[in-house]
Amino acid sequence: MADAPLAIGIDIGGTKVAGGVVDAHGAVLRRARRDTPHRSTSPRVVENTIVSVVEELLGAGDDIAAVGIGAAGFVAADRATVVFAPHLSWRNEPLRAALGERLDVPIFVDNDANAAVWAEYRFGAGRGESHLVMVNLGTGIGGGIVLDGHVIRGRFGIAGEFGHMQVVPDGIRCECGNRGCWEQYASGNALVREARSLMSAGSPVVSDLFDRVGGHPEDLTGPLVTEAARDGDPLARELLGEIGRWLGIGIADLAAALDPGTFVIGGGVSAAGELLLGPAREAFRRQLTGRGYRPEARIVAAELGNEAGLVGAADLARTDALGA
């Protein structure tokens, strides 16, 4: 595919619609970005935003093979319909058909985590790995699976929703309606929740974090906790270590089910690096079924950062458009 035409990738999140023209080596040649319309607005408004980004990128006159859309939500196996997008107003939205009426280029829709794992498989930390699982730690936990060169989407297109595996029976209530979901213990939300709880309790161990937010717990964010940990704050390191421990426990469950060769850890919380991954590897080894008598998967940080979604969406669309 060295001489393959270019493709456009669109990554739709809760706050932004980011697009880029991507070549066959995964390089982003041009970029465009818009704010995501508020979740209470109609599907048409979000569609207008996507069309605006695509039209800007098409305006350069490049030979574009296809447009790939990576959406944060449940995407049906037909790669045409967004079944449910919690941060947008899409409910069984026929997105590919709607965009196809306005854009004269082949369009493919996928889950944003599927797009990210494909990008890491093709161009990032998963290069050369035949069995790859990606875990994205952000506000919650998402994920994707690549086996033998194919994205595994499941019968209904909703595979990879790892964050809603139950790890603690009758545990913390999750936004999905269940209790004890993995993302309630190993995510950016979990990290901030634990830190704010200590701050609200007036614990003296959070003095550094208090200073960083001027005494306002509501202003605390995951990146601030990570920054404090990097600066040596013992509590911030402890909190990240706890998130890492829960991460390792969940990954061990995934290893029992999927047996990949590599786990790639992405998302905003992964910026903590070894402060997170070190404890995750330790917990993984302790929790792994058959430990000591089986090969262990690698656990590595993602390499492509925030652009993984749009790079993967573009490459998946190009691959399908060319029948490769």
Side-chain angles (χ1 to χ4, degrees):
M1 296 180 65
D3 298 323
L6 305 175
I8 290 174
I10 303 294
D11 182 21
I12 306 170
T15 59
K16 56 71 170 90
V17 176
V21 176
V22 182
D23 70 14
H25 303 286
V28 182
L29 307 182
R30 273 174 295 286
R31 296 171 177 80
R33 179 183 173 120
R34 305 284 189 278
D35 291 336
T36 302
H38 189 269
R39 65 192 298 174
S40 65
T41 58
S42 71
R44 184 74 175 183
V45 177
V46 183
E47 178 189 313
N48 290 342
T49 306
I50 297 169
V51 170
S52 174
V53 172
V54 173
E55 287 180 339
E56 178 179 337
L57 295 170
L58 288 172
D62 297 310
D63 176 19
I64 301 296
V67 174
I69 310 291
F74 295 169
V75 177
D78 62 5
R79 296 186 63 201
T81 305
V82 181
V83 177
F84 173 68
H87 299 296
L88 303 165
S89 52
W90 290 337
R91 307 292 185 268
N92 290 312
E93 178 68 17
L95 184 60
R96 185 165 70 185
L99 295 175
E101 294 175 356
R102 303 175 63 180
L103 297 168
D104 187 22
V105 61
I107 295 168
F108 299 88
V109 182
D110 220 320
N111 171 267
D112 58 347
N114 287 341
V117 71
W118 183 257
E120 292 291 343
Y121 166 73
R122 289 269 287 129
F123 310 113
R127 292 188 305 275
E129 175 59 70
S130 62
H131 289 60
L132 178 69
V133 171
M134 186 170 184
V135 178
N136 285 322
L137 301 183
T139 302
I141 297 179
I145 309 162
V146 174
L147 299 180
D148 290 328
H150 298 280
V151 175
I152 304 302
R153 299 181 175 88
R155 172 63 178 83
F156 303 105
I158 309 176
E161 295 295 333
F162 307 139
H164 299 290
M165 301 186 305
Q166 188 186 61
V167 295
V168 179
D170 299 320
I172 297 170
R173 176 74 72 180
C174 181
E175 291 180 0
C176 76
N178 293 329
R179 289 185 178 274
C181 291
W182 189 26
E183 69 177 41
Q184 293 303 316
Y185 301 88
S187 68
N189 268 358
L191 177 66
V192 172
R193 183 191 66 234
E194 292 303 303
R196 286 178 177 171
S197 176
L198 286 167
M199 295 172 79
S200 297
S203 173
V205 300
V206 292
S207 58
D208 181 47
L209 294 179
F210 255 121
D211 292 342
R212 289 174 187 265
V213 295
H216 300 287
E218 66 275 10
D219 292 337
L220 188 69
T221 64
L224 279 175
V225 177
T226 298
E227 178 184 285
R230 285 175 173 161
D231 291 343
D233 178 55
L235 175 68
R237 287 175 172 255
E238 179 183 331
L239 292 172
L240 274 172
E242 184 68 5
I243 296 297
R245 185 178 73 85
W246 279 110
L247 174 61
I249 290 170
I251 288 175
D253 288 345
L254 291 174
L258 300 171
D259 190 31
T262 300
F263 287 97
V264 173
I265 311 303
V269 183
S270 69
E274 288 302 311
L275 292 171
L276 175 79
L277 297 184
R281 293 190 190 101
E282 292 178 10
F284 173 74
R285 294 187 186 106
R286 289 195 304 269
Q287 196 76 14
L288 183 64
T289 181
R291 50 195 173 275
Y293 297 96
R294 58 173 289 173
E296 289 186 10
R298 298 186 307 137
I299 300 175
V300 299
E303 294 181 359
L304 300 182
N306 292 332
E307 293 198 321
L310 72 87
V311 169
D315 198 66
L316 282 168
R318 172 178 32 242
T319 300
D320 285 348
L322 297 179

